[in-house]
Amino acid sequence: MYSANHWGGSFEIAAEGAAEDDHSRNMDLDRGALSARQHQLDETQQSWLLGPPEAKKKDKYVDLGCVVVKRKLLWWILWTLLAAFILIGLPVIIAKSIPKKKPHAPPPDQYTDALHKALLFFNAQKSGRLPKNNGIKWRGNSGLSDGSDLTDVKGGLVGGYYDAGDNIKFHFPLAFSMTMLSWSVIEYSAKYKAVGEYDHVRELIKWGTDYLLLTFNSSASTIDKVYSQVGIAKINGTQPDDHYCWNRPEDMAYPRPVQTASSAPDLGGEMAAALAAASIVFRDNAAYSKKLVNGAAAVYKFARSSGRRTPYSRGNQFIEYYYNSTSYWDEYMWSAAWMYYATGNTSYISFATDPRLPKNAKAFYSILDFSVFSWDNKLPGAELLLSRLRMFLNPGYPYEESLIGYHNTSSLNMCMYFPRFGAFNFTKGGLALFNHGRGQPLQYAVANSFLAALYADYMESVNVPGWYCGPNFMTVDDLRAFARSQVNYILGDNPKKMSYVVGYGKKYPRRLHHRGASTPHNGIKYSCTGGYKWRNAKGADPNLLVGAMVGGPDKNDQFKDARLTYAQNEPTMVGNAGLVAALVALTNSGRGAGVTAVDKNTMFSAVPPMFPATPPPPSKWKP
């Protein structure tokens, strides 16, 4: 038998003597018993020899209801999640909780800088009782007696805008200017917001539309007249009026008669367009928008009246020389399109696409001057506005035939903008002579640059890269390049290296043909002819008419900065309205949310963004 030692120490066999004693002692024992003892050990004996038996570990599980999981695995998952939270989640939470500085907006481009200034021109042209925040220190209340002798207009015709360097309120170009501003807001509201001018431009539009609503009975559904002008100027006259006198608006003391039109298909159509377009701008003000729509409907009905088809300016010596309307069919097309966009009433689009309308308007006759957008020719604008309907809503039959005609004509109009096709002459410096070298060339350049930039955005929005001008494929980038070239010319990229927008750049006109800018705001009220000293002065204007775009250079890129050269140095409302529209279309500020489109599901009741987060599907139409 082996020795045992429960206390520790060596387990080796004892010395040889001891072994013999044990052997002799064992001889007296029964061998069978001995054998049994050797092979059948009890548990205690086994424990002496083998030590404690190894306990077999059993896996423990956790019942999670839907699944049974090993406890060890569950702990491993929990510890892994905790480690991930500490290593990843916690740093992210801490990083996001630390206040961050807002990233600086990208610096404004030259078009944004010019846009801020161009809008200020309208503040300086306001008539009536000016708001305290008008921002033009040298302007004050004026024209508070305008229309005071009218018995059907409570409070008279106070408000509105002076047209140019004189103090006349011409309602035809005034309405067109408001339509242009509204159109630019409808298409580029996100850009206006991005540059901080959204509220400002809306206030300017409302100043104009509030006044237009005074010029006829806007609360009636049927009217028989509109007031077409306040103030007069007789050619080569010798009596005090708005041209013979050189007065600041605040100092006017001569009569200012009101012109009335009982037939005005052109003026009525333009006023309807202005009010309808503005009603879209002010859709967030339901009451005012409805008021504008109702007024637009009344004056549109007046314009379309079969017994009132004589142009508003015909035979009127105080209008015909200045803002003579050569047709009214273009205003019919223009106003019908805007009325449809404002109301969704199919009667308007049915009329706009009636094949007889483009025939009467000679819209498809390829007449060169009919491709030039202006206060007198709305055809290119109306055609593009109706092309918009086809490009984004595609109403199909029965409108498609006329809409495709308008669309094709719009594409041809764009082709004529490029010098390579020789439709119009260009100065050596690159200015398009859309009015064939006559005075005020810049107002035509900016109005058509707006259409070019807008059409490029339309095509880009529906994933069309360009269109064909004969065998030549022109891209949207080509079209934008044309628009930029014209606006850049105006802002200083011209042979004279001067800006034609007052206050923009270092070199710009200083002697405007403008009564308010040229006469000091010094508390002295100059008489009708007493202001001649300021008209004839050689010095710079005492009042800076910031943002005013002058008429522009001649066909040889020459420009004379003198007050008496009114064809070159007089700013106008329609000129600045076109400039504002072109600038906001071209600026990169806010690009990506740019043009806005009509919601086909609500039929013009909303104007959601045209550029969505995901690209639109390929267009089904081809130019």
Side-chain angles (χ1 to χ4, degrees), residues 13 24 26 28 181 202 205 255 369 419 499 509 516 539:
I13 302 301
S24 62
N26 291 336
D28 297 330
L181 290 182
R202 279 167 44 109
I205 293 169
D369 286 347
S499 162

Side-chain angles (χ1 to χ4, degrees), residues 498-574:
M498 69 178 296
S499 162
Y500 292 111
V501 177
V502 176
Y504 181 85
K506 296 181 179 180
K507 182 182 179 183
Y508 48 81
R510 302 278 183 166
R511 300 162 187 82
L512 272 60
H513 185 87
H514 192 277
R515 285 157 177 77
S518 64
T519 307
H521 176 52
N522 55 10
I524 299 175
K525 187 174 182 178
Y526 295 96
S527 67
C528 170
T529 56
Y532 286 2
K533 63 181 291 187
W534 304 115
R535 181 194 66 185
N536 301 329
K538 303 298 182 183
D541 293 333
N543 306 313
L544 197 65
L545 188 59
V546 175
M549 184 185 75
V550 297
D554 62 20
K555 61 184 178 180
N556 298 313
D557 296 307
Q558 297 303 304
F559 177 80
K560 186 176 181 180
D561 186 12
R563 291 187 186 88
L564 295 180
T565 57
Y566 57 86
Q568 292 191 336
N569 227 17
E570 185 174 18
T572 64
M573 279 195 72
V574 293

Side-chain angles (χ1 to χ4, degrees), residues 241-563:
D241 64 22
D242 282 279
H243 271 198
Y244 181 78
C245 298
W246 193 271
N247 286 135
R248 297 173 64 244
E250 293 80 0
D251 299 338
M252 295 183 297
Y254 47 82
R256 287 171 55 79
V258 175
Q259 303 298 299
T260 305
S262 57
S263 174
D266 34 21
L267 173 59
E270 185 55 65
M271 290 171 64
L275 297 174
S279 76
I280 301 173
V281 173
F282 291 101
R283 280 230 172 98
D284 58 342
N285 183 342
Y288 188 62
S289 182
K290 183 178 180 180
K291 184 177 182 180
L292 292 170
V293 167
N294 290 341
V299 75
Y300 176 87
K301 182 179 178 182
F302 168 74
R304 291 277 294 119
S305 177
S306 59
R308 306 179 189 279
R309 298 288 177 86
T310 302
Y312 91 108
S313 55
R314 183 175 297 175
N316 190 320
Q317 63 174 324
F318 302 121
I319 300 177
E320 200 168 25
Y321 179 79
Y322 305 102
Y323 285 103
N324 181 48
S325 176
T326 55
S327 173
Y328 56 81
W329 293 105
D330 55 326
E331 277 85 21
Y332 276 180
M333 188 186 300
W334 176 243
S335 59
W338 278 116
M339 290 299 294
Y340 179 55
Y341 275 94
T343 67
N345 187 324
T346 56
S347 66
Y348 296 117
I349 194 61
S350 295
F351 174 66
T353 55
D354 187 315
R356 292 172 293 182
L357 178 57
K359 182 179 179 179
N360 287 331
K362 299 180 173 61
F364 304 152
Y365 283 31
S366 298
I367 299 173
L368 182 62
D369 286 347
F370 284 7
S371 68
V372 180
F373 187 41
S374 72
W375 58 266
D376 183 37
N377 178 41
K378 315 310 183 338
L379 277 179
E383 289 159 353
L384 183 56
L385 196 60
L386 290 164
S387 298
R388 184 192 207 277
L389 181 63
R390 179 172 185 256
M391 294 168 75
F392 300 121
L393 296 183
N394 194 18
Y397 181 84
Y399 313 115
E400 175 66 8
E401 184 177 353
S402 290
L403 291 180
I404 195 172
Y406 294 140
H407 193 175
N408 290 338
T409 304
S410 289
S411 296
L412 288 173
N413 290 341
M414 301 297 155
C415 294
M416 295 182 186
Y417 291 155
F418 296 105
R420 70 169 72 176
F421 301 122
F424 293 96
N425 292 327
F426 284 70
T427 69
K428 290 183 179 180
L431 177 65
L433 298 175
F434 290 123
N435 66 334
H436 309 293
R438 294 188 288 268
Q440 293 282 335
L442 298 188
Q443 65 172 262
Y444 299 92
V446 291
N448 290 276
S449 292
F450 169 63
L451 292 193
L454 185 57
Y455 191 47
D457 281 341
Y458 284 175
M459 286 192 288
E460 193 172 73
S461 299
V462 291
N463 290 336
V464 173
W467 79 110
Y468 279 95
C469 294
N472 303 278
F473 185 78
M474 310 302 293
T475 69
V476 293
D477 290 336
D478 294 329
L479 200 50
R480 283 202 190 95
F482 160 77
R484 289 193 186 101
S485 72
Q486 299 305 293
V487 175
N488 290 350
Y489 181 102
I490 293 168
L491 298 182
D493 186 11
N494 55 64
K496 302 292 286 186
K497 301 301 178 186
M498 69 178 296
S499 162
Y500 292 111
V501 177
V502 176
Y504 181 85
K506 296 181 179 180
K507 182 182 179 183
Y508 48 81
R510 302 278 183 166
R511 300 162 187 82
L512 272 60
H513 185 87
H514 192 277
R515 285 157 177 77
S518 64
T519 307
H521 176 52
N522 55 10
I524 299 175
K525 187 174 182 178
Y526 295 96
S527 67
C528 170
T529 56
Y532 286 2
K533 63 181 291 187
W534 304 115
R535 181 194 66 185
N536 301 329
K538 303 298 182 183
D541 293 333
N543 306 313
L544 197 65
L545 188 59
V546 175
M549 184 185 75
V550 297
D554 62 20
K555 61 184 178 180
N556 298 313
D557 296 307
Q558 297 303 304
F559 177 80
K560 186 176 181 180
D561 186 12
R563 291 187 186 88

